[in-house]
Amino acid sequence: MAVSAIIGATAVSAVGSIQQGKAAKKAANFQASADLERDRLQAQFIEQESAAQAELIAREGEERAAFTEDTTAAQALVAEQRATREREIAKIEEEDYRRAQDRTLATKRAALGGSGIRLDTGTFVLAEGDFVSEAELQALRIRSTGELNAVRLAQEARAVRGTGRKQAELFRSSSQRQAETIFRSGLTEAQLLRSTGATNAALLRMKGRAAQTAGFFRAGSSLLSGGAAILELQDKRAAASSGTPIK
């Protein structure tokens, strides 16, 4: 009866140790798989989030660049239109001035002719020549002023358009660099998370295998201990039946 009890207790202990090791391994494998899936989803989220942020920044940079180009182009167009208008106004003013001087000269000629003064004499011819020269000079001044204003406005238009293009290019390049930095940072973080997760999962599985091995060792130890107890018990019985004192 005692031997059966020892065998039963030994078997229960051995089986329990083996089952405990298997359970620990199963739990470790389950935890490793769960952690890997969690890290995979988190890494995927990081990649998607960084890609979305990068796309948003790039799009905002492009929109800002396009707005800058459109705004400066509109400003340049206004300046170009003003330049054209300056030339037109100068031309009209020059023509009006010439007509006014022609009328003034004609009025003077008529008045002097009606007074009996000869208009082909040296004095009148000289005076008329001075008047015509001065009128021509003033008309050219009007034209030159209009042209100078037109040139200045045209230069202003080119400068505004050029500045707008440079600013737009700066916005594009800056936003592109920022977007690339965010995207690459997200990829690096996700890769690191996957790598760390894989390492932790491998460690958990190793612990599970170690726990199972330890269960087998405990089971073997229980069996050895049970066997030793049975042998000791048999020795005692044999000594008792032969009358040999038990040491």
Side-chain angles (χ1 to χ4, degrees):
M1 186 68 179
V3 172
S4 298
I6 293 174
I7 292 174
T10 301
V12 169
S13 177
V15 171
S17 296
I18 293 173
Q19 290 179 343
Q20 185 179 2
K22 288 182 176 180
K25 180 182 178 182
K26 184 177 180 180
N29 289 339
F30 177 81
Q31 186 64 45
S33 298
D35 290 349
L36 274 177
E37 180 64 13
R38 179 202 62 202
D39 293 340
R40 185 188 69 81
L41 293 176
Q42 188 174 356
Q44 184 179 10
F45 173 78
I46 291 172
E47 289 176 341
Q48 293 174 348
E49 183 69 14
S50 61
Q53 290 180 355
E55 182 181 357
L56 177 62
I57 290 174
R59 184 170 62 250
E60 288 178 348
E62 178 60 33
E63 291 174 354
R64 189 176 181 184
F67 175 78
T68 301
E69 287 178 336
D70 292 342
T71 301
T72 53
Q75 293 173 348
L77 180 60
V78 170
E80 289 169 348
Q81 292 174 344
R82 288 177 59 194
T84 301
R85 184 58 179 164
E86 284 290 336
R87 289 190 176 94
E88 293 174 350
I89 291 174
K91 183 179 179 182
I92 292 172
E93 289 180 350
E94 179 186 354
E95 292 173 352
D96 289 345
Y97 180 78
R98 289 183 183 278
R99 283 193 294 270
Q101 296 306 305
D102 289 342
R103 287 194 298 270
T104 299
L105 182 59
T107 299
K108 287 183 178 181
R109 290 175 64 89
L112 292 174
S115 344
I117 299 175
R118 295 185 58 181
L119 302 180
D120 56 352
T121 60
T123 302
F124 180 77
V125 170
L126 290 175
E128 185 180 26
D130 290 341
F131 180 83
V132 170
S133 297
E134 182 62 28
E136 178 65 19
L137 180 60
Q138 185 60 31
L140 293 176
R141 286 197 186 101
I142 294 173
R143 181 192 302 177
S144 177
T145 300
E147 184 62 25
L148 287 174
N149 290 336
V151 169
R152 176 181 57 79
L153 289 170
Q155 291 174 343
E156 179 182 332
R158 287 192 295 271
V160 169
R161 187 174 279 110
T163 300
R165 284 195 294 264
K166 290 180 181 179
Q167 289 179 343
E169 183 60 30
L170 181 61
F171 290 147
R172 287 190 179 96
S173 60
S174 177
S175 62
Q176 189 63 35
R177 286 195 300 270
Q178 187 177 358
E180 289 177 357
T181 299
I182 291 176
F183 182 68
R184 289 176 181 173
S185 176
L187 291 180
T188 301
E189 184 179 356
Q191 184 177 2
L192 179 61
L193 182 60
R194 289 191 182 96
S195 177
T196 303
T199 301
N200 291 336
L203 290 175
L204 280 174
R205 290 192 176 99
M206 288 177 60
K207 289 181 179 179
R209 289 193 296 269
Q212 186 180 34
T213 301
F216 288 140
F217 279 125
R218 286 195 300 272
S221 178
S222 296
L223 291 174
L224 290 175
S225 297
I230 291 172
L231 289 175
E232 183 180 358
L233 180 60
Q234 289 176 343
D235 289 343
K236 288 180 179 180
R237 285 179 177 179
S241 61
S242 63
T244 304
I246 299 174
K247 295 181 180 180

